[in-house]
Amino acid sequence: MQFNPEAGQLKCAHCGRTQALIAGSTVSAHEFTGTIASHLLQPITAQALQVTCAGCGSVVAFEPPEVAGICSFCGTAMVAEPKAADPLIAPDGVLPFKVPKQGAFTQLQKWLSSRWFAPNALKRLARPDGMNGVYLPFWTYYCHADSTYSGERGEHYYVTETYTDRDSSGNTVERTREVQHTRWYPASGRVAEDFNNVLIAATKAVPEQRLDKLQPWDLNALCPYEPAYLAGFRAQRYQIELAEGFEKAKQVMKKEIERSVCMDIGGDEQRVANINTTYSSIFFLHILLPVWIGAYQFQGKVYHVVVNSRTGDVEGERPYSPLKIAALVVTILAVVALLILWHQAHH
C-alpha cells in the first residue's frame, strides 16, 4: 500500500482498498542541549533502504518496492547499491503529500507554457517519470532570546534657512525653506523575544532561495511522524546537522531582534552599535515537508523545478536555449528582409 495524497490514507494500487493511518496525537519538541540523546537516533523506517548519489552526494531513503532510480536532485542515475538506512535524528513531524502527481504535472505544465526559449531538457520534466515525490528535511527551532544593546536615538528638528532664487521673470528673489537636522542621544537597553517555528532547510541539494519562495508552509497541519507516510515516496537525509541549523536560525532571529531594538530605542532614526544576545529554553523538531521535484542537466549545470505539494506552487530555474534564440533571430531577420523586398518590388 502507498500513501494517497487525495485520500489522505494508505491505498492499494491494485484493488483500491484504503486504510487510515494510525499516528500519535501530538508533535513534541526536544530540548537542544548541544548533544544528541541516543534514543533520538534510529532509522527513518524499519525496512528503509538508503542510497548515496555519486553525482551530488545526496542520501535518499526509500522503502521497497520503491527503487532508487534517478536522483531527484541532480538527474543522474543512482548506481550505488542501496543499503539499510543509517540511524539519524528521527523525524518528529511530517506534512503529508496533498497535491497528487497529476495535479503537480498540471501546475508544472502551466509553468512550462510561460517559459519561452526553454531547452528540450526542461520540457522532459513534464513526463510521468520526470518528477519524484520527495520529503525534504527541515529543522524548526523554538527559543527565548534576551538581548542587551547600545546605540543612539536620533530626533529630527527643523531650521528655517534663507536662499536666493529666480522668479518666473528672471528676477533674483529671496525664499525660505525648512531644513531637517538630527540630534543624537545615547541609548541602551534590553529586549526579550520568544521565537516559535524558526524554519531552517536541512538540505543543500536544493538552493535555499528556491525553498524560501515555496513558503509559507501550513505547519499548523503538521502530523506526528508515522513511517507509513513515506510509502511510495522518498525522503532525503538531512545534510545540515542540528547545531549548524541553529546557527542559521540565529541569523534569522537576528533580523527580528534588530527590529525590536530599533523600536525600543525610538526616536526618528536609530543607530545600533552593539547587540549581545543570550538564547535559552531552546527546543527543536525534525520535520519532513513534501515536494514534487525534478532535476535536469544542461551544459554541465544542474537545474531544479520544485512543486510545493501542499499548495501546488511551482518554483524553478531554467537556462535559455541558444539554438532556439538563434532560430528566432534568423526568422525575424528573414521576415524583415522579405518585407524590404516586397516594399521595393511594389514601389
Side-chain angles (χ1 to χ4, degrees), residues 199-216:
L199 190 65
I200 301 297
T203 175
K204 297 179 181 179
V206 182
E208 189 173 336
Q209 63 271 22
R210 195 155 312 288
L211 294 177
D212 289 342
K213 291 179 180 179
L214 290 180
Q215 295 192 48

Side-chain angles (χ1 to χ4, degrees), residues 145-158:
D146 277 304
S147 304
T148 57
Y149 68 85
S150 61
E152 294 178 291
R153 178 179 67 255
E155 296 182 355
H156 295 162
Y157 66 96
Y158 295 87

Side-chain angles (χ1 to χ4, degrees), residues 24-198:
S25 58
T26 59
V27 180
S28 300
H30 310 283
E31 187 173 7
F32 177 47
T33 60
T35 59
I36 307 301
S38 58
H39 73 274
L40 296 179
L41 298 173
Q42 54 186 284
I44 195 165
T45 74
Q47 293 81 31
L49 301 177
Q50 73 177 36
V51 64
T52 302
C53 176
C56 66
S58 294
V59 179
V60 178
F62 57 92
E63 277 201 337
E66 181 78 10
V67 295
I70 300 297
C71 177
S72 303
F73 303 102
C74 69
T76 59
M78 293 281 207
V79 295
E81 283 294 323
K83 66 171 188 174
D86 293 331
L88 76 167
I89 299 176
D92 301 294
V94 57
L95 270 183
F97 273 77
K98 188 175 181 180
V99 176
K101 195 168 192 176
Q102 186 56 51
F105 280 148
T106 300
Q107 295 300 109
L108 175 62
Q109 287 165 349
K110 290 180 181 177
W111 184 82
L112 287 173
S113 65
S114 63
R115 267 58 192 175
W116 292 9
F117 311 124
N120 292 331
L122 174 59
K123 298 186 182 299
R124 284 197 292 271
L125 290 182
R127 301 184 315 200
D129 59 345
M131 301 192 78
N132 295 299
V134 180
Y135 284 104
L136 296 181
F138 284 77
W139 303 111
T140 182
Y141 298 91
Y142 307 76
C143 74
H144 178 79
D146 277 304
S147 304
T148 57
Y149 68 85
S150 61
E152 294 178 291
R153 178 179 67 255
E155 296 182 355
H156 295 162
Y157 66 96
Y158 295 87
V159 175
T160 302
E161 293 184 352
T162 302
Y163 67 100
T164 58
D165 196 6
R166 292 187 181 276
D167 60 18
S168 57
S169 301
N171 300 316
T172 300
V173 295
E174 285 192 348
R175 303 185 190 277
T176 60
R177 60 189 172 194
E178 297 293 307
V179 179
Q180 176 183 296
H181 296 270
T182 304
R183 291 190 179 95
W184 291 96
Y185 303 91
S188 61
R190 179 177 180 176
V191 296
E193 294 277 352
D194 287 310
F195 291 94
N196 295 299
N197 283 329
V198 181

Side-chain angles (χ1 to χ4, degrees), residues 12-28:
C12 178
H14 302 287
C15 70
R17 178 175 176 269
T18 60
Q19 177 181 316
L21 281 86
I22 301 175
S25 58
T26 59
V27 180
S28 300

